Coordinates of all heavy atoms in Angstrom, one line a residue:
P74 N 13.1 13.1 18.2 CA 13.5 12.0 19.2 C 14.6 12.3 20.1 O 14.7 11.9 21.2 CB 13.8 10.8 18.3 CG 14.1 11.4 16.9 CD 13.2 12.6 16.8
E75 N 15.5 13.2 19.6 CA 16.7 13.6 20.4 C 16.3 14.4 21.6 O 17.1 14.5 22.5 CB 17.7 14.3 19.5 CG 17.4 15.7 19.1 CD 16.3 15.8 18.1 OE1 15.9 14.8 17.5 OE2 15.8 17.0 17.8
R76 N 15.1 15.0 21.5 CA 14.6 15.8 22.6 C 13.3 15.2 23.2 O 12.5 15.8 23.8 CB 14.2 17.2 22.2 CG 15.4 18.0 21.6 CD 16.4 18.4 22.7 NE 15.8 19.3 23.7 CZ 16.4 19.7 24.8 NH1 17.6 19.3 25.1 NH2 15.7 20.5 25.6
R77 N 13.2 13.8 23.0 CA 12.1 13.1 23.5 C 10.7 13.7 23.0 O 9.7 13.6 23.6 CB 12.0 13.0 25.0 CG 13.2 12.2 25.6 CD 13.2 12.1 27.1 NE 13.3 13.4 27.7 CZ 12.9 13.7 28.9 NH1 12.3 12.8 29.7 NH2 13.0 14.9 29.4
N78 N 10.8 14.2 21.8 CA 9.6 14.8 21.1 C 9.0 15.9 21.9 O 7.8 16.2 21.8 CB 8.6 13.7 20.8 CG 9.2 12.7 19.8 OD1 9.8 13.0 18.8 ND2 8.9 11.4 20.1
S79 N 9.8 16.6 22.7 CA 9.3 17.8 23.5 C 8.9 18.9 22.5 O 9.4 19.0 21.4 CB 10.3 18.2 24.5 OG 11.5 18.6 23.9
V80 N 8.0 19.7 23.0 CA 7.4 20.7 22.1 C 8.1 22.1 22.2 O 8.2 22.7 23.3 CB 5.9 20.9 22.5 CG1 5.2 22.0 21.7 CG2 5.2 19.6 22.4
N81 N 8.5 22.6 21.0 CA 9.0 23.9 20.9 C 8.1 24.7 20.0 O 7.1 24.2 19.5 CB 10.5 24.0 20.5 CG 10.7 23.4 19.1 OD1 9.7 23.0 18.4 ND2 11.9 23.3 18.6
A82 N 8.5 26.0 19.7 CA 7.6 26.8 18.9 C 7.5 26.2 17.5 O 6.4 26.3 16.9 CB 8.2 28.2 18.8
Q83 N 8.6 25.7 16.9 CA 8.5 25.2 15.5 C 7.6 24.0 15.5 O 6.7 23.9 14.6 CB 9.9 24.8 15.1 CG 9.9 24.3 13.6 CD 11.3 23.7 13.2 OE1 12.3 23.9 13.9 NE2 11.3 23.1 12.0
L84 N 7.7 23.0 16.4 CA 6.8 21.9 16.4 C 5.3 22.3 16.5 O 4.4 21.8 15.9 CB 7.2 20.9 17.5 CG 6.4 19.6 17.5 CD1 7.3 18.4 18.0 CD2 5.1 19.6 18.4
T85 N 5.1 23.3 17.4 CA 3.8 23.9 17.6 C 3.2 24.3 16.2 O 2.0 24.0 15.9 CB 3.8 25.0 18.6 OG1 4.2 24.5 19.8 CG2 2.4 25.6 18.7
R86 N 3.9 25.1 15.5 CA 3.5 25.6 14.2 C 3.2 24.5 13.2 O 2.1 24.5 12.5 CB 4.5 26.6 13.6 CG 4.6 27.9 14.3 CD 5.5 28.9 13.5 NE 6.9 28.4 13.3 CZ 7.9 28.6 14.1 NH1 7.7 29.4 15.2 NH2 9.1 28.1 13.9
E87 N 4.1 23.5 13.2 CA 4.0 22.5 12.2 C 2.9 21.5 12.5 O 2.2 21.0 11.6 CB 5.3 21.8 12.0 CG 6.3 22.7 11.4 CD 7.7 22.1 11.3 OE1 7.9 20.9 11.6 OE2 8.7 22.8 10.9
L88 N 2.7 21.2 13.8 CA 1.6 20.3 14.2 C 0.3 21.0 14.0 O -0.7 20.3 13.5 CB 1.8 19.9 15.7 CG 0.7 19.0 16.3 CD1 0.6 17.7 15.5 CD2 1.0 18.7 17.7
S89 N 0.1 22.2 14.3 CA -1.1 23.0 14.0 C -1.4 22.9 12.5 O -2.6 22.6 12.1 CB -1.0 24.4 14.4 OG -2.1 25.2 14.1
A90 N -0.5 23.1 11.6 CA -0.7 23.1 10.2 C -1.1 21.7 9.8 O -2.0 21.5 8.9 CB 0.6 23.5 9.4
A91 N -0.5 20.6 10.3 CA -0.9 19.3 9.9 C -2.3 18.9 10.4 O -3.0 18.3 9.6 CB 0.1 18.3 10.5
V92 N -2.7 19.3 11.6 CA -4.0 19.0 12.1 C -5.0 19.7 11.2 O -6.1 19.1 10.8 CB -4.1 19.4 13.6 CG1 -5.6 19.3 14.0 CG2 -3.3 18.5 14.4
Q93 N -4.8 21.0 10.9 CA -5.7 21.7 10.0 C -5.8 21.1 8.6 O -6.9 21.1 8.0 CB -5.3 23.2 9.9 CG -5.4 23.9 11.2 CD -6.8 23.8 11.9 OE1 -7.8 24.0 11.2 NE2 -6.9 23.6 13.1
A94 N -4.7 20.6 8.1 CA -4.7 19.9 6.8 C -5.6 18.7 6.8 O -6.3 18.4 5.9 CB -3.3 19.6 6.4
C95 N -5.5 17.9 7.9 CA -6.3 16.7 8.0 C -7.8 17.0 8.1 O -8.6 16.4 7.5 CB -5.9 15.9 9.3 SG -4.2 15.1 9.1
E96 N -8.1 18.1 8.9 CA -9.5 18.5 9.0 C -10.0 19.0 7.6 O -11.2 18.7 7.3 CB -9.6 19.7 10.0 CG -9.6 19.3 11.4 CD -11.0 18.7 11.8 OE1 -12.0 19.3 11.7 OE2 -11.0 17.5 12.1
A97 N -9.2 19.6 6.8 CA -9.6 20.2 5.5 C -9.7 19.1 4.4 O -10.3 19.4 3.4 CB -8.8 21.3 5.1
N98 N -9.0 18.0 4.6 CA -8.8 17.1 3.5 C -10.0 16.1 3.5 O -10.2 15.3 4.5 CB -7.5 16.3 3.7 CG -7.2 15.4 2.5 OD1 -8.1 15.0 1.8 ND2 -5.9 15.0 2.4
P99 N -10.9 16.1 2.5 CA -12.0 15.2 2.5 C -11.7 13.7 2.5 O -12.5 12.9 2.8 CB -12.8 15.6 1.3 CG -11.8 16.3 0.4 CD -10.8 16.9 1.3
Q100 N -10.5 13.4 2.1 CA -10.0 12.0 2.0 C -9.8 11.4 3.4 O -10.0 10.3 3.7 CB -8.8 11.9 1.2 CG -8.1 10.5 1.2 CD -6.8 10.5 0.5 OE1 -6.4 11.4 -0.2 NE2 -6.1 9.4 0.6
V101 N -9.4 12.3 4.4 CA -9.1 11.8 5.7 C -10.3 11.7 6.6 O -11.1 12.7 6.7 CB -8.0 12.8 6.3 CG1 -7.8 12.4 7.8 CG2 -6.7 12.8 5.5
A102 N -10.4 10.6 7.2 CA -11.6 10.3 8.1 C -11.1 10.3 9.6 O -11.9 10.6 10.5 CB -12.3 9.0 7.8
V103 N -9.9 9.9 9.8 CA -9.4 9.8 11.2 C -7.8 9.9 11.1 O -7.2 9.6 10.1 CB -9.8 8.4 11.7 CG1 -9.2 7.2 10.8 CG2 -9.3 8.2 13.2
T104 N -7.3 10.4 12.2 CA -5.8 10.7 12.3 C -5.2 9.9 13.5 O -5.9 9.8 14.6 CB -5.6 12.2 12.5 OG1 -6.1 12.9 11.3 CG2 -4.1 12.5 12.6
I105 N -4.0 9.4 13.3 CA -3.3 8.8 14.4 C -2.1 9.8 14.8 O -1.5 10.3 13.9 CB -2.7 7.4 14.0 CG1 -3.8 6.5 13.7 CG2 -1.7 6.9 15.0 CD1 -3.4 5.2 13.0
L106 N -1.9 10.0 16.0 CA -0.8 10.9 16.5 C 0.1 10.0 17.3 O -0.3 9.3 18.3 CB -1.4 12.0 17.4 CG -0.3 12.9 18.0 CD1 0.4 13.7 17.0 CD2 -1.0 13.8 19.1
T107 N 1.4 10.0 16.9 CA 2.4 9.2 17.6 C 3.7 9.9 17.6 O 3.9 11.1 17.1 CB 2.6 7.8 16.9 OG1 3.3 6.9 17.7 CG2 3.2 8.0 15.5
G108 N 4.7 9.3 18.3 CA 6.0 9.9 18.4 C 7.1 9.0 17.8 O 6.9 7.8 17.7
S109 N 8.2 9.6 17.3 CA 9.3 8.8 16.8 C 10.3 8.5 18.0 O 10.3 9.2 19.0 CB 10.0 9.6 15.7 OG 10.6 10.8 16.2
G110 N 11.0 7.5 17.7 CA 12.0 7.0 18.8 C 11.3 6.3 19.9 O 10.2 5.7 19.8
S111 N 11.9 6.5 21.1 CA 11.4 5.7 22.3 C 10.4 6.5 23.1 O 9.9 5.9 24.1 CB 12.6 5.3 23.1 OG 13.3 6.4 23.6
S112 N 10.1 7.7 22.8 CA 9.2 8.5 23.6 C 8.0 9.0 22.7 O 8.1 9.2 21.5 CB 9.8 9.8 24.2 OG 10.8 9.5 25.1
F113 N 6.8 9.1 23.4 CA 5.7 9.7 22.7 C 5.9 11.3 22.7 O 6.0 11.9 21.7 CB 4.4 9.4 23.4 CG 3.2 10.1 22.9 CD1 2.6 9.6 21.6 CD2 2.6 11.1 23.5 CE1 1.5 10.3 21.1 CE2 1.5 11.7 23.0 CZ 0.9 11.3 21.8
C114 N 5.9 11.8 23.9 CA 6.2 13.3 24.0 C 6.5 13.6 25.5 O 5.8 13.2 26.4 CB 5.0 14.1 23.5 SG 5.2 15.9 23.7
A115 N 7.6 14.4 25.7 CA 8.0 14.8 27.0 C 7.4 16.1 27.5 O 7.8 16.7 28.5 CB 9.5 14.8 27.1
G116 N 6.4 16.7 26.7 CA 5.8 17.9 27.0 C 6.6 19.1 26.5 O 7.3 19.0 25.5
M117 N 6.4 20.3 27.1 CA 7.1 21.5 26.6 C 8.6 21.3 26.8 O 9.1 20.9 27.8 CB 6.6 22.7 27.4 CG 7.2 24.0 27.0 SD 6.4 25.5 27.6 CE 6.6 25.3 29.4
D118 N 9.3 21.8 25.8 CA 10.8 21.8 25.8 C 11.2 22.9 26.8 O 11.0 24.1 26.5 CB 11.3 22.0 24.4 CG 12.8 21.9 24.3 OD1 13.5 22.1 25.4 OD2 13.4 21.6 23.2
L119 N 11.8 22.5 27.9 CA 12.1 23.5 28.9 C 13.2 24.4 28.5 O 13.4 25.6 28.9 CB 12.4 22.9 30.3 CG 11.2 22.2 31.0 CD1 11.6 21.6 32.3 CD2 10.1 23.2 31.2
A120 N 14.1 24.0 27.6 CA 15.1 24.8 27.0 C 14.4 25.9 26.1 O 14.9 27.1 26.2 CB 16.1 24.0 26.2
A121 N 13.4 25.5 25.4 CA 12.7 26.5 24.6 C 11.9 27.5 25.5 O 11.8 28.7 25.2 CB 11.7 25.8 23.7
F122 N 11.4 27.0 26.6 CA 10.7 27.8 27.6 C 11.7 28.9 28.1 O 11.4 30.0 28.2 CB 10.2 27.0 28.7 CG 9.7 27.7 29.9 CD1 8.5 28.4 29.9 CD2 10.4 27.7 31.1 CE1 8.0 29.1 31.0 CE2 10.0 28.4 32.2 CZ 8.8 29.1 32.2
A123 N 12.9 28.4 28.5 CA 13.9 29.3 29.0 C 14.4 30.3 28.0 O 14.8 31.4 28.3 CB 15.1 28.5 29.5
D124 N 14.3 30.0 26.7 CA 14.7 30.8 25.6 C 13.6 31.8 25.1 O 13.7 32.5 24.1 CB 15.1 30.0 24.4 CG 16.5 29.3 24.6 OD1 17.2 29.8 25.5 OD2 16.8 28.4 23.9
G125 N 12.4 31.8 25.8 CA 11.4 32.8 25.5 C 10.4 32.3 24.5 O 9.7 33.2 23.9
E126 N 10.2 31.0 24.3 CA 9.2 30.5 23.3 C 7.9 30.2 23.9 O 7.0 29.6 23.3 CB 9.7 29.3 22.6 CG 11.0 29.6 21.7 CD 11.4 28.4 20.9 OE1 10.7 27.4 20.8 OE2 12.5 28.4 20.4
T127 N 7.7 30.6 25.2 CA 6.5 30.2 26.0 C 5.2 30.6 25.3 O 4.2 29.8 25.2 CB 6.5 30.8 27.4 OG1 7.8 30.5 28.0 CG2 5.4 30.3 28.2
E128 N 5.1 31.9 24.8 CA 3.9 32.4 24.2 C 3.5 31.6 23.0 O 2.3 31.2 22.8 CB 4.1 33.8 23.8 CG 2.8 34.5 23.3 CD 1.8 34.7 24.4 OE1 2.1 34.7 25.6 OE2 0.6 34.9 24.0
A129 N 4.4 31.3 22.1 CA 4.1 30.5 20.9 C 3.7 29.1 21.2 O 2.8 28.5 20.6 CB 5.3 30.5 20.0
I130 N 4.3 28.5 22.2 CA 4.1 27.1 22.6 C 2.7 26.9 23.2 O 1.9 26.0 22.9 CB 5.2 26.5 23.5 CG1 6.5 26.5 22.7 CG2 4.8 25.1 24.0 CD1 7.7 26.2 23.6
L131 N 2.4 27.8 24.2 CA 1.2 27.7 25.0 C 0.0 28.4 24.6 O -1.1 28.0 24.8 CB 1.5 28.1 26.5 CG 2.6 27.3 27.2 CD1 2.8 27.9 28.6 CD2 2.1 25.8 27.4
H132 N 0.2 29.6 23.9 CA -1.0 30.5 23.7 C -1.2 30.8 22.2 O -2.0 31.7 21.9 CB -0.7 31.8 24.4 CG -0.6 31.6 25.9 ND1 -1.6 31.1 26.7 CD2 0.5 31.8 26.7 CE1 -1.1 31.0 28.0 NE2 0.1 31.5 28.0
G133 N -0.6 30.0 21.3 CA -0.9 30.2 19.9 C -2.2 29.6 19.5 O -3.0 29.1 20.3
K134 N -2.5 29.5 18.2 CA -3.7 28.9 17.7 C -3.7 27.4 18.1 O -2.7 26.7 17.9 CB -3.7 29.0 16.1 CG -4.9 28.4 15.5 CD -4.9 28.6 14.0 CE -6.1 28.0 13.3 NZ -6.1 28.2 11.9
G135 N -4.8 27.0 18.7 CA -4.9 25.6 19.2 C -4.3 25.4 20.6 O -4.2 24.3 21.1

Side-chain angles (χ1 to χ4, degrees):
E75 74 287 352
R76 299 289 297 172
R77 296 181 296 159
N78 298 317
S79 58
V80 177
N81 63 2
Q83 182 187 351
L84 187 146
T85 297
R86 291 189 298 269
E87 294 176 5
L88 180 55
S89 176
V92 171
Q93 294 305 314
C95 292
E96 278 286 297
N98 189 336
Q100 176 185 346
V101 174
V103 57
T104 299
I105 297 170
L106 178 65
T107 192
S109 61
S111 59
S112 292
F113 176 76
C114 176
M117 180 168 61
D118 187 333
L119 290 182
F122 170 75
D124 287 342
E126 296 184 13
T127 308
E128 185 70 20
I130 296 170
L131 295 176
H132 301 298
K134 183 178 180 180

